[in-house]
Amino acid sequence: MHNDDLIPYLLLLGDSALIQGQRLCQWCGHAPALEEELALMNVGLDLIGQARNWLEYAAELLDDGRDADALAFRRDERAFHNLLLVEQPNGDFAVTMTKQFLYDAWHLAMLQGLCASSDPRIAGIAAKALKEVTYHLRRSGEWVQRLGGGTDESRRRMLAAIPALWRFTVELSQGSESETRLAAAGIAADPGQVGQAWLAQVSAIFASVELPQPTPASHFYLSGRKGLHTEHLGLLLAEMQFLPRAYPDAIW
Amino acid sequence: MYAQLVETGVKRVKSLEEMSPEERHFQEKIDAEIKIEPKNWMPEAYRQTLIRQISQHAHSEIVGMLPESNWVTRAPSLKRKLQLMAKIQDEAGHGLYLYSAMETLGADRDEEIAKLHSGKAKYSSIFNYPTLSWADMGAVGWLVDGAAIVNQVVLQRTSYGPYSRAMIRICKEESFHQRQGYELLLTMMRHGTQAQKDMVQDAINRLWWPSLMMFGPSDEHSPNSAQSMAWKIKRQTNDELRQRFIDQTVPQLELLGCTAPDPELKWNAERGHYDFGEIQWDEFYEVIKGNGPCNQERVATRRQAIEDGAWVREAAVAYARKQQNKNAA
């Protein structure tokens, strides 16, 4: 019963990092400045590394012969548990940085909670990831400020990016019953606290450059946690998984 | 070589007697292996040659991200994806070091990048070849980075201090990625399926000759070399470096269990070197001129990235200015 809650939770963490990392890979060679090429790849590298740690643990608990690579490259979209937010297309740099910021703020709150997990494996992975995500959030928060408080054009783009992404944030402000059970057992981060910390962080950065204060997003029937994704994930996976799918017996 | 055809604008190397006192003092420092530093006097042609060479080298790092970005979204395992991302990140970093080294000569990064986008400035011909399979990521790491390292190891002793120091830092990272590239191919050859082995051999077939071209024209057709060698910007000739690369690479090729697409490649005990076939110089010059398989796509992609990102850079500048004003008030 414990694993029935824990495995999807590890997949929520691992898949979200993996898909966000994959989206960042798509920026390679196309960033607005050389420093950003470096930073986008750096953040992506951190996230894929974290994804590997979470998926390895999930694979051990699953104990069905699959490893982290099999989970990343052989699951269909209905079995992915990532946040809907991170599978959204990159759009322009304002969309990418807003998406990154909304995710980072949630991610940081999650990891802060998880550092105190009674599961030492989780606490260990979270402690390492927390250092990286602290940097990610600082960077994406600064970009939200630069773009929101920069030129008329950059502000116009931020004002378009926020509502385009905001509708996917219910999943960040609210956890699931399963997570509440895990949190009560001292394993998961408390979803209520994560939601509050996330919103406080977002509100503070938005307020600092007078971006409109967000109101709670309304519920979707889609849910990354349940494997009910937007149409974007299937295409993303088709590209990401092509080689292991096409050469199932290969060793890379 | 990441900078394979650099004009010095000098027809004939002057003797010490023909030089002005300044030039002579400069040449004596060079001959004594004393590094030239940004504030030292240097001949204008030396400065311009270095700007061309270092900017070509920097552009190569940046354009060189594109053939890899083609596969980073399709890397077949988490480990390989991480390795490739780390490599691409390092390349962006190498580009930054090199642009900084170039700026110590009084050149402007944005101006030099504009020359790349207008087709005026060159970058290594190798990056005008497409990456058509995952094995190309290994072959690029092994052969292309391998060729770059042979060149760059020598450039650690180049006469201009900032360039030499950039090369020392870059070589450390580059060697690591080259070993990873080779290990990638070795894994496919030793543990992979027949389809994977075929993929590796095909990648080598396509990238072998373009890698040899990275060292630039043969010495007899390299009119700029004499001056670059006299200034010790270059420390060894194109053909010497190419031979060294082949000599060290053929045993690695054999260890893989692959072959080179060169029927004339064989050990020459008398010379103590491998003999090899003639490079298709027509192809080399066409690629250098912009007529290779991917020249247009590569430059267009870079130009597009910088054009699309203009509003982002403007926003960063505007925001920084507002913050400054706020702090001043």
Side-chain angles (χ1 to χ4, degrees), chain A residues 22 29 32 38 150 239 252, chain B residues 73 80-81 89 302 313 322:
Chain A
Q22 175 72 4
L38 197 69
E239 181 181 12
W252 306 99
Chain B
T73 56
R80 295 301 179 201
K81 201 178 193 72
Q89 190 191 337
R302 288 309 307 153
R313 298 189 302 277
K322 283 182 198 171

Side-chain angles (χ1 to χ4, degrees), chain A residues 9 24-25 64 79 111 119-120 158 191 214 220 239 243:
Chain A
Y9 189 63
L24 293 175
C25 284
D64 59 5
L111 294 172
D119 181 327
M158 280 305 290
F220 259 28
E239 181 181 12
L243 275 170

Side-chain angles (χ1 to χ4, degrees), chain B residues 107-323:
Chain B
D108 178 77
R109 196 213 288 200
D110 293 339
E111 279 173 27
E112 296 305 315
I113 290 174
K115 286 181 197 163
L116 169 71
H117 295 172
S118 71
K120 245 179 89 184
K122 304 263 180 279
Y123 53 90
S124 178
S125 58
I126 191 72
F127 302 119
N128 293 309
Y129 290 86
T131 49
L132 301 180
S133 80
W134 172 253
D136 289 27
M137 293 303 99
V140 166
W142 170 48
L143 293 174
V144 174
D145 290 9
I149 290 166
V150 165
N151 174 53
Q152 289 172 169
V153 163
V154 190
L155 285 176
Q156 293 180 18
R157 295 189 297 118
T158 195
S159 61
Y160 187 58
Y163 192 26
S164 148
R165 291 189 288 272
M167 283 300 111
I168 292 168
R169 293 184 66 170
I170 288 173
C171 276
K172 283 183 195 155
E173 296 179 347
E174 204 87 80
S175 307
F176 183 67
H177 299 308
Q178 195 220 359
R179 283 199 296 276
Q180 281 183 338
Y182 188 68
E183 190 265 336
L184 188 163
L185 298 179
L186 207 54
T187 303
M188 287 174 77
M189 289 305 294
R190 294 207 167 151
H191 308 289
T193 61
Q194 189 57 45
Q196 286 181 289
K197 291 175 188 172
D198 294 346
M199 219 183 263
V200 173
Q201 183 62 57
D202 177 62
I204 293 170
N205 291 347
R206 285 181 286 106
L207 288 164
W208 179 262
W209 290 108
S211 301
L212 298 186
M213 292 177 194
M214 288 175 69
F215 295 93
S218 63
D219 293 348
E220 54 187 314
H221 295 108
S222 192
N224 299 290
S225 286
Q227 183 61 73
S228 278
M229 298 277 286
W231 280 331
K232 297 190 180 174
I233 294 176
K234 284 176 81 151
R235 306 296 313 235
Q236 282 185 298
T237 72
N238 296 351
D239 286 337
E240 283 168 354
L241 292 170
R242 188 167 12 243
Q243 183 71 60
R244 177 179 305 163
F245 173 70
I246 289 171
D247 290 349
Q248 75 177 39
T249 301
V250 172
Q252 296 166 2
L253 182 72
E254 287 167 354
L255 190 70
L256 278 177
C258 292
T259 57
D262 179 2
E264 291 172 53
L265 183 73
K266 66 166 190 295
W267 179 249
N268 181 330
E270 216 168 289
R271 289 204 308 131
H273 291 292
Y274 282 93
D275 290 337
F276 56 98
E278 186 67 16
I279 287 172
Q280 295 296 310
W281 292 112
D282 292 349
E283 175 182 321
F284 170 76
Y285 287 108
E286 281 303 308
V287 175
I288 286 278
K289 269 194 284 181
N291 302 325
C294 299
N295 297 59
Q296 295 191 21
E297 287 83 353
R298 298 293 188 239
V299 173
T301 300
R302 288 309 307 153
R303 196 190 302 130
Q304 190 77 46
I306 295 306
E307 282 173 12
D308 289 350
W311 69 271
V312 177
R313 298 189 302 277
E314 284 158 16
V317 171
Y319 184 73
R321 201 176 296 130
K322 283 182 198 171
Q323 292 301 106

Side-chain angles (χ1 to χ4, degrees), chain A residues 28-135:
Chain A
C28 178
H30 304 278
L34 204 40
E35 289 80 356
E36 291 308 306
E37 296 284 359
L38 197 69
L40 290 165
M41 215 38 60
N42 189 342
V43 172
L45 186 63
D46 287 344
L47 291 174
I48 304 280
Q50 294 171 21
R52 183 163 68 166
N53 292 335
W54 295 124
L55 294 181
E56 270 169 5
Y57 190 25
E60 285 172 33
L61 295 178
L62 279 165
D63 195 26
D64 59 5
R66 287 185 292 175
D67 59 9
D69 279 335
L71 292 180
F73 296 101
R74 307 284 177 95
R75 266 182 305 154
D76 290 338
E77 58 180 287
R78 283 293 274 114
F80 265 76
H81 290 254
N82 61 278
L83 299 168
L84 298 174
L85 176 75
V86 298
E87 71 198 36
Q88 299 313 306
N90 285 333
D92 65 11
F93 197 68
V95 172
T96 288
M97 289 323 297
T98 304
K99 188 168 49 155
Q100 184 76 46
F101 170 65
L102 294 173
Y103 170 62
D104 290 344
W106 174 84
H107 202 184
L108 186 90
M110 285 286 277
L111 294 172
Q112 281 171 334
L114 289 174
C115 283
S117 173
S118 59
D119 181 327
R121 179 80 171 267
I122 291 180
I125 297 172
K128 183 177 177 295
L130 181 65
K131 289 180 201 149
E132 296 169 344
V133 172
T134 303
Y135 155 70

Side-chain angles (χ1 to χ4, degrees), chain A residues 160-230:
Chain A
I162 292 169
L165 296 167
W166 193 255
R167 48 202 177 117
F168 300 108
T169 58
V170 174
E171 293 189 305
L172 286 72
S173 59
Q174 294 174 17
S176 63
E177 282 175 29
S178 151
E179 278 165 60
T180 307
R181 279 196 298 275
L182 279 177
I187 295 167
D190 180 81
Q193 278 177 16
V194 169
Q196 277 173 15
W198 171 79
L199 189 63
Q201 177 68 251
V202 171
S203 300
I205 292 287
F206 281 12
S208 70
V209 285
E210 292 163 12
L211 285 166
Q213 281 300 307
T215 50
S218 51
H219 255 291
F220 259 28
Y221 104 93
L222 295 177
S223 158
R225 284 179 172 86
K226 292 181 187 156
L228 288 166
H229 291 275
T230 60

